[in-house]
Amino acid sequence: MIRKYVVSSAQMGPISRQDTRQDCVNRMLEMMKEAAAKGSRFIVFPELALTSFFPRWIIEDQAELDTWFETSMPNADTMPLFEMAKALNIGFNLGYAEKIVEGGETRYFNTAILVNQAGEICGKYRKIHLPGHDEPQPGRRHQHLEKRYFEQGNLGFPVTPMLDTRIGMLICNDRRWPEGWRVLALQAAELVCLGYNTPDDHSGFEEVDALADFHHLLSMQSGSYLNSVWSIATAKCGLEEGSSLIGNSAITAPSGQIVAQSETLEDEVINAEIDLDMAKQYRQTFFDFGRHRAPENYQLISKRRMALPEPDDT
Ligand code: CDT
């Protein structure tokens, strides 16, 4: 079987506070049509693609905070995406804020789903590496309150069989942590998709902000190469409610080479034909896990959360 087909990243420009879910879905529908016209079978949308990036704001009122979350999926606003996916025979990955009652408790997650070409949800991931703070930081122009508004994901790092391959999901900050990539690769993922909202104006360190694009691409390229997986990274970008978000959506090969990259800070579709069997060359050589990995030496990774301060902490 030849496993070569076109995939797409549908980058979104800024979403304002006033934009409705329908506004966002209409933009996504346009991009889905554009991708399908190029023969694409799979399209990746950004993290929190249905709203502005609300964790930048201090929102004290729970009822107001709840308006940023989806309580069901699909719902009346997002149903057209599912219907068009089925009509165009294209799968997709979508990020959104999820409010759910689980075990009698109301819970809030930063979530991504996989939808197959029949328009059915076939995979779900809830973001594990939540960045930022759980308390507002005094003096900051923009907050980053993901730790306040979301709970850490409780689904692990699942891999979903789909489109003759195995797809894993990460969300934004997850791309900087090699552990998630590896857990996906150890389940034989061949394609990793990731949406992101990455500001380049609020770390508090100018030198760090200046490298935001470089560090994003470095993370995607090294994640792909070190784990022999294709990756599709999709930005929400541009000047959103006064916050500057990077673009550079990218499709990256298991070689670590970028094969398609966005050029604007607006809605933009990029496409690439990917050969899923390319990963085999890497998995049979440098990254033949069975021959070369030595998990008995890695126990600290799952036992210890942080580096000990002592220099001799071996
Ligand atoms: N959305 C998200 O995860 N953004 C982070 C930046 C956090 S800055 C406190 C990222 O890693 O891109």
PDB file of all heavy atoms in Angstrom, residues 47 53 110 127 129 131-133 140 144 146 171-176 196-199 202-203, ligand 1:
ATOM      1  N   GLU A  47      -4.830  25.738  18.228  1.00  0.00           N
ATOM      2  CA  GLU A  47      -5.279  25.609  19.624  1.00  0.00           C
ATOM      3  C   GLU A  47      -6.363  26.680  19.881  1.00  0.00           C
ATOM      4  O   GLU A  47      -6.249  27.803  19.372  1.00  0.00           O
ATOM      5  CB  GLU A  47      -4.067  25.890  20.535  1.00  0.00           C
ATOM      6  CG  GLU A  47      -4.378  25.969  22.018  1.00  0.00           C
ATOM      7  CD  GLU A  47      -3.183  26.526  22.842  1.00  0.00           C
ATOM      8  OE1 GLU A  47      -2.422  27.384  22.329  1.00  0.00           O
ATOM      9  OE2 GLU A  47      -3.027  26.088  23.996  1.00  0.00           O
ATOM     10  N   PHE A  53      -7.654  34.208  22.475  1.00  0.00           N
ATOM     11  CA  PHE A  53      -6.893  33.471  23.492  1.00  0.00           C
ATOM     12  C   PHE A  53      -7.201  34.083  24.877  1.00  0.00           C
ATOM     13  O   PHE A  53      -6.437  34.883  25.416  1.00  0.00           O
ATOM     14  CB  PHE A  53      -5.388  33.504  23.175  1.00  0.00           C
ATOM     15  CG  PHE A  53      -4.596  32.598  24.070  1.00  0.00           C
ATOM     16  CD1 PHE A  53      -4.599  31.231  23.866  1.00  0.00           C
ATOM     17  CD2 PHE A  53      -3.861  33.108  25.127  1.00  0.00           C
ATOM     18  CE1 PHE A  53      -3.893  30.383  24.706  1.00  0.00           C
ATOM     19  CE2 PHE A  53      -3.138  32.273  25.970  1.00  0.00           C
ATOM     20  CZ  PHE A  53      -3.155  30.904  25.756  1.00  0.00           C
ATOM     21  N   ASN A 110      -8.135  22.301  28.172  1.00  0.00           N
ATOM     22  CA  ASN A 110      -7.706  22.831  26.877  1.00  0.00           C
ATOM     23  C   ASN A 110      -7.559  21.590  25.982  1.00  0.00           C
ATOM     24  O   ASN A 110      -6.632  20.796  26.162  1.00  0.00           O
ATOM     25  CB  ASN A 110      -6.369  23.569  27.053  1.00  0.00           C
ATOM     26  CG  ASN A 110      -5.919  24.257  25.776  1.00  0.00           C
ATOM     27  OD1 ASN A 110      -6.364  23.916  24.684  1.00  0.00           O
ATOM     28  ND2 ASN A 110      -5.005  25.212  25.918  1.00  0.00           N
ATOM     29  N   LYS A 127      -4.760  18.947  27.003  1.00  0.00           N
ATOM     30  CA  LYS A 127      -3.387  19.484  27.154  1.00  0.00           C
ATOM     31  C   LYS A 127      -2.795  19.168  28.527  1.00  0.00           C
ATOM     32  O   LYS A 127      -3.404  19.464  29.557  1.00  0.00           O
ATOM     33  CB  LYS A 127      -3.420  20.990  26.926  1.00  0.00           C
ATOM     34  CG  LYS A 127      -2.059  21.684  26.888  1.00  0.00           C
ATOM     35  CD  LYS A 127      -2.256  23.137  26.462  1.00  0.00           C
ATOM     36  CE  LYS A 127      -0.984  23.937  26.382  1.00  0.00           C
ATOM     37  NZ  LYS A 127      -1.273  25.330  25.944  1.00  0.00           N
ATOM     38  N   HIS A 129       0.867  19.869  29.355  1.00  0.00           N
ATOM     39  CA  HIS A 129       1.833  20.885  29.819  1.00  0.00           C
ATOM     40  C   HIS A 129       1.209  22.283  29.717  1.00  0.00           C
ATOM     41  O   HIS A 129       1.365  22.971  28.705  1.00  0.00           O
ATOM     42  CB  HIS A 129       3.125  20.797  29.005  1.00  0.00           C
ATOM     43  CG  HIS A 129       3.834  19.487  29.167  1.00  0.00           C
ATOM     44  ND1 HIS A 129       3.819  18.487  28.206  1.00  0.00           N
ATOM     45  CD2 HIS A 129       4.561  18.990  30.202  1.00  0.00           C
ATOM     46  CE1 HIS A 129       4.511  17.447  28.644  1.00  0.00           C
ATOM     47  NE2 HIS A 129       4.965  17.718  29.841  1.00  0.00           N
ATOM     48  N   PRO A 131       1.093  26.033  30.381  1.00  0.00           N
ATOM     49  CA  PRO A 131       2.076  27.049  30.748  1.00  0.00           C
ATOM     50  C   PRO A 131       1.441  28.168  31.581  1.00  0.00           C
ATOM     51  O   PRO A 131       0.227  28.184  31.790  1.00  0.00           O
ATOM     52  CB  PRO A 131       2.508  27.595  29.387  1.00  0.00           C
ATOM     53  CG  PRO A 131       1.280  27.475  28.554  1.00  0.00           C
ATOM     54  CD  PRO A 131       0.530  26.242  29.041  1.00  0.00           C
ATOM     55  N   GLY A 132       2.278  29.097  32.014  1.00  0.00           N
ATOM     56  CA  GLY A 132       1.772  30.298  32.682  1.00  0.00           C
ATOM     57  C   GLY A 132       1.566  30.097  34.173  1.00  0.00           C
ATOM     58  O   GLY A 132       2.248  29.295  34.809  1.00  0.00           O
ATOM     59  N   HIS A 133       0.570  30.790  34.703  1.00  0.00           N
ATOM     60  CA  HIS A 133       0.380  30.880  36.161  1.00  0.00           C
ATOM     61  C   HIS A 133      -1.052  30.578  36.554  1.00  0.00           C
ATOM     62  O   HIS A 133      -1.954  30.675  35.731  1.00  0.00           O
ATOM     63  CB  HIS A 133       0.732  32.302  36.616  1.00  0.00           C
ATOM     64  CG  HIS A 133       2.098  32.731  36.194  1.00  0.00           C
ATOM     65  ND1 HIS A 133       2.300  33.486  35.049  1.00  0.00           N
ATOM     66  CD2 HIS A 133       3.318  32.482  36.714  1.00  0.00           C
ATOM     67  CE1 HIS A 133       3.598  33.682  34.895  1.00  0.00           C
ATOM     68  NE2 HIS A 133       4.248  33.089  35.886  1.00  0.00           N
ATOM     69  N   ARG A 140       2.031  42.792  34.591  1.00  0.00           N
ATOM     70  CA  ARG A 140       2.163  42.235  33.232  1.00  0.00           C
ATOM     71  C   ARG A 140       1.118  42.840  32.303  1.00  0.00           C
ATOM     72  O   ARG A 140      -0.043  42.978  32.682  1.00  0.00           O
ATOM     73  CB  ARG A 140       1.950  40.718  33.255  1.00  0.00           C
ATOM     74  CG  ARG A 140       3.116  39.964  33.814  1.00  0.00           C
ATOM     75  CD  ARG A 140       2.778  38.491  33.820  1.00  0.00           C
ATOM     76  NE  ARG A 140       2.734  37.976  32.457  1.00  0.00           N
ATOM     77  CZ  ARG A 140       3.509  37.005  31.998  1.00  0.00           C
ATOM     78  NH1 ARG A 140       4.396  36.452  32.785  1.00  0.00           N
ATOM     79  NH2 ARG A 140       3.396  36.583  30.762  1.00  0.00           N
ATOM     80  N   HIS A 144      -0.952  35.129  31.510  1.00  0.00           N
ATOM     81  CA  HIS A 144      -1.053  33.829  30.841  1.00  0.00           C
ATOM     82  C   HIS A 144      -1.584  32.850  31.889  1.00  0.00           C
ATOM     83  O   HIS A 144      -0.816  32.198  32.599  1.00  0.00           O
ATOM     84  CB  HIS A 144       0.291  33.375  30.264  1.00  0.00           C
ATOM     85  CG  HIS A 144       0.109  32.309  29.230  1.00  0.00           C
ATOM     86  ND1 HIS A 144       0.328  32.502  27.895  1.00  0.00           N
ATOM     87  CD2 HIS A 144      -0.357  31.040  29.353  1.00  0.00           C
ATOM     88  CE1 HIS A 144       0.028  31.403  27.222  1.00  0.00           C
ATOM     89  NE2 HIS A 144      -0.370  30.493  28.097  1.00  0.00           N
ATOM     90  N   GLU A 146      -3.370  29.993  31.923  1.00  0.00           N
ATOM     91  CA  GLU A 146      -3.854  28.640  31.585  1.00  0.00           C
ATOM     92  C   GLU A 146      -3.950  27.759  32.823  1.00  0.00           C
ATOM     93  O   GLU A 146      -4.852  26.942  32.937  1.00  0.00           O
ATOM     94  CB  GLU A 146      -2.940  27.995  30.539  1.00  0.00           C
ATOM     95  CG  GLU A 146      -3.164  28.539  29.156  1.00  0.00           C
ATOM     96  CD  GLU A 146      -2.552  27.643  28.090  1.00  0.00           C
ATOM     97  OE1 GLU A 146      -2.922  26.467  27.987  1.00  0.00           O
ATOM     98  OE2 GLU A 146      -1.683  28.141  27.347  1.00  0.00           O
ATOM     99  N   ILE A 171      -0.519  19.916  22.205  1.00  0.00           N
ATOM    100  CA  ILE A 171      -1.077  21.268  22.108  1.00  0.00           C
ATOM    101  C   ILE A 171      -0.021  22.268  22.584  1.00  0.00           C
ATOM    102  O   ILE A 171       0.451  22.217  23.717  1.00  0.00           O
ATOM    103  CB  ILE A 171      -2.368  21.425  22.943  1.00  0.00           C
ATOM    104  CG1 ILE A 171      -3.437  20.408  22.492  1.00  0.00           C
ATOM    105  CG2 ILE A 171      -2.915  22.847  22.834  1.00  0.00           C
ATOM    106  CD1 ILE A 171      -4.752  20.462  23.275  1.00  0.00           C
ATOM    107  N   CYS A 172       0.354  23.146  21.717  1.00  0.00           N
ATOM    108  CA  CYS A 172       1.207  24.311  21.953  1.00  0.00           C
ATOM    109  C   CYS A 172       2.423  24.032  22.839  1.00  0.00           C
ATOM    110  O   CYS A 172       3.397  23.463  22.405  1.00  0.00           O
ATOM    111  CB  CYS A 172       0.374  25.468  22.505  1.00  0.00           C
ATOM    112  SG  CYS A 172       1.285  27.028  22.379  1.00  0.00           S
ATOM    113  N   ASN A 173       2.348  24.422  24.123  1.00  0.00           N
ATOM    114  CA  ASN A 173       3.502  24.296  25.010  1.00  0.00           C
ATOM    115  C   ASN A 173       4.038  22.862  25.081  1.00  0.00           C
ATOM    116  O   ASN A 173       5.245  22.652  25.317  1.00  0.00           O
ATOM    117  CB  ASN A 173       3.098  24.785  26.418  1.00  0.00           C
ATOM    118  CG  ASN A 173       4.265  24.862  27.376  1.00  0.00           C
ATOM    119  OD1 ASN A 173       4.426  24.018  28.248  1.00  0.00           O
ATOM    120  ND2 ASN A 173       5.090  25.857  27.204  1.00  0.00           N
ATOM    121  N   ASP A 174       3.185  21.866  24.830  1.00  0.00           N
ATOM    122  CA  ASP A 174       3.629  20.457  24.845  1.00  0.00           C
ATOM    123  C   ASP A 174       4.814  20.230  23.916  1.00  0.00           C
ATOM    124  O   ASP A 174       5.613  19.314  24.137  1.00  0.00           O
ATOM    125  CB  ASP A 174       2.507  19.531  24.348  1.00  0.00           C
ATOM    126  CG  ASP A 174       1.384  19.294  25.347  1.00  0.00           C
ATOM    127  OD1 ASP A 174       1.661  19.187  26.552  1.00  0.00           O
ATOM    128  OD2 ASP A 174       0.232  19.197  24.897  1.00  0.00           O
ATOM    129  N   ARG A 175       4.918  21.054  22.843  1.00  0.00           N
ATOM    130  CA  ARG A 175       5.980  20.769  21.864  1.00  0.00           C
ATOM    131  C   ARG A 175       7.374  20.995  22.435  1.00  0.00           C
ATOM    132  O   ARG A 175       8.357  20.525  21.877  1.00  0.00           O
ATOM    133  CB  ARG A 175       5.825  21.616  20.595  1.00  0.00           C
ATOM    134  CG  ARG A 175       6.055  23.140  20.738  1.00  0.00           C
ATOM    135  CD  ARG A 175       5.460  23.790  19.547  1.00  0.00           C
ATOM    136  NE  ARG A 175       5.547  25.202  19.294  1.00  0.00           N
ATOM    137  CZ  ARG A 175       5.003  26.186  19.980  1.00  0.00           C
ATOM    138  NH1 ARG A 175       4.442  25.960  21.142  1.00  0.00           N
ATOM    139  NH2 ARG A 175       5.070  27.436  19.556  1.00  0.00           N
ATOM    140  N   ARG A 176       7.459  21.711  23.554  1.00  0.00           N
ATOM    141  CA  ARG A 176       8.774  22.005  24.146  1.00  0.00           C
ATOM    142  C   ARG A 176       9.247  20.898  25.088  1.00  0.00           C
ATOM    143  O   ARG A 176      10.346  20.978  25.640  1.00  0.00           O
ATOM    144  CB  ARG A 176       8.705  23.318  24.927  1.00  0.00           C
ATOM    145  CG  ARG A 176       8.143  24.476  24.096  1.00  0.00           C
ATOM    146  CD  ARG A 176       8.135  25.775  24.857  1.00  0.00           C
ATOM    147  NE  ARG A 176       7.278  26.756  24.228  1.00  0.00           N
ATOM    148  CZ  ARG A 176       7.642  27.530  23.200  1.00  0.00           C
ATOM    149  NH1 ARG A 176       8.853  27.452  22.738  1.00  0.00           N
ATOM    150  NH2 ARG A 176       6.795  28.397  22.675  1.00  0.00           N
ATOM    151  N   TYR A 196      -1.251  25.993  18.131  1.00  0.00           N
ATOM    152  CA  TYR A 196      -0.583  26.843  19.130  1.00  0.00           C
ATOM    153  C   TYR A 196      -1.015  28.301  19.063  1.00  0.00           C
ATOM    154  O   TYR A 196      -1.481  28.787  18.034  1.00  0.00           O
ATOM    155  CB  TYR A 196       0.946  26.736  19.024  1.00  0.00           C
ATOM    156  CG  TYR A 196       1.565  27.128  17.692  1.00  0.00           C
ATOM    157  CD1 TYR A 196       2.143  28.381  17.505  1.00  0.00           C
ATOM    158  CD2 TYR A 196       1.593  26.239  16.626  1.00  0.00           C
ATOM    159  CE1 TYR A 196       2.739  28.736  16.297  1.00  0.00           C
ATOM    160  CE2 TYR A 196       2.177  26.587  15.414  1.00  0.00           C
ATOM    161  CZ  TYR A 196       2.748  27.830  15.254  1.00  0.00           C
ATOM    162  OH  TYR A 196       3.323  28.165  14.051  1.00  0.00           O
ATOM    163  N   ASN A 197      -0.883  28.950  20.243  1.00  0.00           N
ATOM    164  CA  ASN A 197      -1.004  30.412  20.387  1.00  0.00           C
ATOM    165  C   ASN A 197       0.252  30.811  21.143  1.00  0.00           C
ATOM    166  O   ASN A 197       0.324  30.631  22.367  1.00  0.00           O
ATOM    167  CB  ASN A 197      -2.191  30.793  21.272  1.00  0.00           C
ATOM    168  CG  ASN A 197      -3.539  30.635  20.598  1.00  0.00           C
ATOM    169  OD1 ASN A 197      -4.149  31.607  20.175  1.00  0.00           O
ATOM    170  ND2 ASN A 197      -4.017  29.400  20.522  1.00  0.00           N
ATOM    171  N   THR A 198       1.258  31.328  20.450  1.00  0.00           N
ATOM    172  CA  THR A 198       2.533  31.621  21.108  1.00  0.00           C
ATOM    173  C   THR A 198       2.860  33.108  21.009  1.00  0.00           C
ATOM    174  O   THR A 198       3.189  33.602  19.930  1.00  0.00           O
ATOM    175  CB  THR A 198       3.663  30.777  20.477  1.00  0.00           C
ATOM    176  OG1 THR A 198       3.386  29.399  20.730  1.00  0.00           O
ATOM    177  CG2 THR A 198       5.026  31.125  21.059  1.00  0.00           C
ATOM    178  N   PRO A 199       2.769  33.823  22.142  1.00  0.00           N
ATOM    179  CA  PRO A 199       3.094  35.246  22.109  1.00  0.00           C
ATOM    180  C   PRO A 199       4.604  35.469  22.054  1.00  0.00           C
ATOM    181  O   PRO A 199       5.373  34.649  22.574  1.00  0.00           O
ATOM    182  CB  PRO A 199       2.540  35.772  23.434  1.00  0.00           C
ATOM    183  CG  PRO A 199       2.161  34.594  24.247  1.00  0.00           C
ATOM    184  CD  PRO A 199       2.353  33.345  23.470  1.00  0.00           C
ATOM    185  N   HIS A 202       5.726  38.707  25.757  1.00  0.00           N
ATOM    186  CA  HIS A 202       5.387  38.802  27.181  1.00  0.00           C
ATOM    187  C   HIS A 202       6.112  37.851  28.131  1.00  0.00           C
ATOM    188  O   HIS A 202       5.671  37.632  29.240  1.00  0.00           O
ATOM    189  CB  HIS A 202       3.861  38.767  27.369  1.00  0.00           C
ATOM    190  CG  HIS A 202       3.210  37.420  27.317  1.00  0.00           C
ATOM    191  ND1 HIS A 202       1.875  37.294  27.110  1.00  0.00           N
ATOM    192  CD2 HIS A 202       3.689  36.181  27.466  1.00  0.00           C
ATOM    193  CE1 HIS A 202       1.556  36.008  27.146  1.00  0.00           C
ATOM    194  NE2 HIS A 202       2.645  35.322  27.363  1.00  0.00           N
ATOM    195  N   SER A 203       7.260  37.330  27.712  1.00  0.00           N
ATOM    196  CA  SER A 203       7.976  36.466  28.662  1.00  0.00           C
ATOM    197  C   SER A 203       8.633  37.306  29.763  1.00  0.00           C
ATOM    198  O   SER A 203       8.976  36.797  30.829  1.00  0.00           O
ATOM    199  CB  SER A 203       9.048  35.647  27.941  1.00  0.00           C
ATOM    200  OG  SER A 203      10.167  36.460  27.651  1.00  0.00           O
TER     201      SER A 203
HETATM  202  N1  CDT B   1      -0.586  28.482  24.469  1.00  0.00           N
HETATM  203  C1  CDT B   1       0.638  28.135  24.887  1.00  0.00           C
HETATM  204  O1  CDT B   1       0.854  27.044  25.372  1.00  0.00           O
HETATM  205  N2  CDT B   1       1.609  29.055  24.765  1.00  0.00           N
HETATM  206  C2  CDT B   1       2.931  28.896  25.279  1.00  0.00           C
HETATM  207  C3  CDT B   1       3.529  30.205  25.648  1.00  0.00           C
HETATM  208  C4  CDT B   1       3.377  30.446  27.060  1.00  0.00           C
HETATM  209  S1  CDT B   1       4.188  31.891  27.560  1.00  0.00           S
HETATM  210  C5  CDT B   1       3.783  31.903  29.210  1.00  0.00           C
HETATM  211  C6  CDT B   1       3.896  28.233  24.293  1.00  0.00           C
HETATM  212  O2  CDT B   1       4.662  27.381  24.725  1.00  0.00           O
HETATM  213  O3  CDT B   1       3.956  28.620  23.136  1.00  0.00           O
END
